[in-house]
Amino acid sequence: RAAVVTYGATLAILGALVAIGARHAFALERELYWTRASGWTALGALLCSLCATPVGRVLGRVRPRAERAVAPWRRALGVTAAATASLHAGLALSTYLGGSLDPIADYPWLRGGALALAILWALWLTSYPRVVRALRVKLWKPLHRLAFVAALLALQHVLLAPMAPVGWVLGVFGAAAAVGLLRLVPRRP
């Protein structure tokens, strides 16, 4: 159920963003809008996936099963983050970067985004128990803690990007960090 709701909502959001972007008169405006919108969607899903566990821990204090019920949502949001980040990268590569990977080496904000995407791909690949067993991944949990590194790289990507709304970005990451502090809430005995 969590996957259906998450993926469906993401498709609806992306569909709305495509429709809104299509109203721009110039191709460059449309491409920039779609690239940025897909990036913000990916970032939102990533931050929500990171906030799922702390929120589940707090809810678990009220309802004992709530903490375990968060896991499918966290996975669905993480997969959504990786998929929409891939869409974002594909749009950037086909428009802004002109099909060339060379600028990634030249600009720190592109390097940060590429590294975050690489981490998200690794996490996406190992989000399925059958794949983890087939690949014989022993350290699944430490591997998935790299999601925090991906979030920091995404923060760097956004803050260094041209025309970044720095105040807004810091506010969103600050709110996510504040929710993350809920991890300090002890589990229900």
Side-chain angles (χ1 to χ4, degrees):
R1 186 176 123 183
V4 171
V5 171
T6 303
Y7 304 154
T10 302
L11 287 174
I13 289 168
L14 290 174
L17 294 173
V18 165
I20 292 168
R23 296 186 339 191
H24 290 284
F26 299 103
L28 180 62
E29 286 180 317
R30 279 192 301 276
E31 293 167 357
L32 182 60
Y33 179 83
W34 289 332
T35 302
R36 292 180 77 191
S38 61
W40 289 117
T41 305
L43 183 62
L46 177 60
L47 292 178
C48 285
S49 73
L50 293 176
C51 290
T53 297
V55 168
R57 186 157 304 164
V58 169
L59 292 177
R61 303 286 294 170
V62 178
R63 291 182 41 215
R65 294 186 188 139
E67 190 169 354
R68 281 196 319 255
V70 167
W73 292 95
R74 183 179 56 239
R75 178 185 300 176
L77 287 163
V79 168
T80 298
T84 52
S86 299
L87 173 66
H88 172 67
L91 286 168
L93 185 61
S94 66
T95 59
Y96 179 79
L97 299 176
S100 174
L101 295 175
D102 294 338
I104 293 173
D106 298 332
Y107 299 102
W109 61 280
L110 291 176
R111 280 193 303 270
L115 288 171
L117 181 63
I119 290 170
L120 290 176
W121 280 346
L123 301 181
W124 189 4
L125 179 67
T126 58
S127 288
Y128 305 99
R130 185 174 285 168
V131 174
V132 170
R133 282 191 300 274
L135 293 176
R136 296 188 177 136
V137 176
K138 301 279 187 222
L139 301 172
W140 179 86
K141 199 168 198 163
L143 175 68
H144 278 256
R145 287 193 179 121
L146 288 176
F148 296 102
V149 175
L152 291 175
L153 288 166
L155 174 63
Q156 183 235 3
H157 174 66
V158 175
L159 286 178
L160 297 180
M163 301 178 289
V166 174
W168 189 86
V169 170
L170 292 175
V172 168
F173 271 89
V179 171
L181 290 175
L182 295 175
R183 283 181 178 274
L184 301 175
V185 171
R187 286 193 158 97
R188 188 179 173 103

Short mmCIF file of all heavy atoms in Angstrom, two decimals, residues 19 58 73 77 152 175:
data_model
loop_
_atom_site.label_atom_id
_atom_site.label_comp_id
_atom_site.label_asym_id
_atom_site.label_seq_id
_atom_site.Cartn_x
_atom_site.Cartn_y
_atom_site.Cartn_z
N ALA A 19 2.73 19.53 -16.83
CA ALA A 19 1.69 20.42 -17.36
C ALA A 19 2.02 21.89 -17.09
O ALA A 19 1.85 22.74 -17.96
CB ALA A 19 0.34 20.05 -16.75
N VAL A 58 8.67 8.27 17.16
CA VAL A 58 7.78 9.05 18.01
C VAL A 58 6.38 8.44 18.00
O VAL A 58 5.74 8.30 19.04
CB VAL A 58 7.74 10.53 17.55
CG1 VAL A 58 6.62 11.30 18.23
CG2 VAL A 58 9.08 11.19 17.83
N TRP A 73 7.03 2.70 3.99
CA TRP A 73 6.98 4.08 3.51
C TRP A 73 8.39 4.60 3.27
O TRP A 73 8.65 5.27 2.27
CB TRP A 73 6.25 4.97 4.52
CG TRP A 73 4.80 4.65 4.61
CD1 TRP A 73 4.21 3.83 5.52
CD2 TRP A 73 3.77 5.11 3.74
NE1 TRP A 73 2.86 3.76 5.27
CE2 TRP A 73 2.56 4.53 4.18
CE3 TRP A 73 3.74 5.95 2.64
CZ2 TRP A 73 1.35 4.78 3.57
CZ3 TRP A 73 2.52 6.20 2.02
CH2 TRP A 73 1.34 5.61 2.48
N LEU A 77 9.66 5.79 -0.35
CA LEU A 77 10.17 7.15 -0.53
C LEU A 77 11.61 7.14 -1.03
O LEU A 77 12.00 7.96 -1.87
CB LEU A 77 10.06 7.94 0.77
CG LEU A 77 8.65 8.36 1.15
CD1 LEU A 77 8.57 8.76 2.61
CD2 LEU A 77 8.16 9.49 0.25
N LEU A 152 23.57 15.00 2.20
CA LEU A 152 24.56 16.08 2.33
C LEU A 152 25.12 16.48 0.97
O LEU A 152 25.33 17.67 0.70
CB LEU A 152 25.68 15.67 3.28
CG LEU A 152 25.28 15.56 4.75
CD1 LEU A 152 26.43 15.02 5.58
CD2 LEU A 152 24.80 16.90 5.29
N ALA A 175 14.69 21.97 8.77
CA ALA A 175 13.48 21.29 9.26
C ALA A 175 13.69 19.77 9.26
O ALA A 175 13.31 19.08 10.22
CB ALA A 175 12.29 21.66 8.39
#
